[in-house]
Amino acid sequence: MKRLVEGIELDLDGLQILPGLINAHDHLEFALFPRLGQRHYANATEWARDIYHPDQSPVREHLQIPKSLRLQWGGLRNLACGVTTVCHHNPYEAVFDDDFPVRVVKSYGWAHSLAFEANIRDRFDATPPGAPFLIHAGEGTDEDAAAEIFKLDELGVLDERTVLIHAVGFRSDGWKLTRKIGAGVVWCPRSNLFTLGRTLSQDVIASGIPMALGTDSPLTAEGDLLDEIRAARELVGEYSFDAARILRLSPQPDDWIAAPEFGEPPELVVVGDRIRLIGPRLARALPTRICREFYPLKMETRLPVLVRWNVPRMLEEAAQHLGEDVRLARRRVCA
Ligand SMILES: [Zn+2]
């Protein structure tokens, strides 16, 4: 099958054309960090207190890397696995509008969590009309985590636009309320298993509550959305998620990928009708003037690909702070 992109005819025989993946939860600036945490915690606040030592290694060195560069690596982590849209849980940054590897959801309201945000109602009220309101909730296995859904309800910030990230600690009455309200949930199975030793049950996943899959950051989950898809399959079998509905995204027919099959790393990623990533075989069709814009991205356990970002320079800049062993969500990046 042949497809024309940027006026170039690409022979996609042997590949499936699929919509770009949507990563419903990430913190892009932590892409190069290692996983941090020593044990399973009762809730996310306990985890955060244990790992947040900005004056100590390794957090100190990572924070010395300019944030715009860290965000770019976060974009590449998503691009490499076929994500074309990512939902970043933090303020929207100017760098996302400026030649960023993937689309970043732009219209949203958000708060970190009940523990780390005092004015949740104000944040909810500031959400643009028709946009989702994103908040970490129920990220724990204790009573506090179970009670968060009711606290959010009391604050008046629960409706069908609310997107609850994690929700691991909710109990049957909490799930009943979530379903009644029509709120969405983002499931980050590998992050939950690492920090809490538990994640959502098969019953909850299949309960009809709108669900999306997210990676969370490499602070708690190594790898990328393909690793998350594999974990989800092992935990609950085949299940179709609906990130676009929960995040209220319009269809993006100009975003698509080509891969040997769903769940495999892509050989082509097109965002906004522009080639962002291409495998070496397909790249042979690129005219020299376009080929010059691409650089190799070589990651441990993945076949090398070409991307439109200057990876050797990004690697050099990161290595100034981290040394030669630069890892993108655990996978070593080679020059
Ligand atoms: Zn998060």
Side-chain angles (χ1 to χ4, degrees), residues 185 187 199-209 211 236 239 241:
V185 168
W187 186 32
T199 190
L200 302 183
S201 70
Q202 193 159 20
D203 286 352
V204 164
I205 300 293
S207 67
I209 291 169
M211 291 266 170
V236 298
Y239 185 85
F241 295 94

Side-chain angles (χ1 to χ4, degrees), residues 21 48 95 129 166 174 190 204 210-211 214 232 264 308 311:
L21 303 176
V95 66
H166 300 305
R190 293 162 73 253
V204 164
M211 291 266 170
E264 293 294 318
R308 242 164 169 152
V311 177

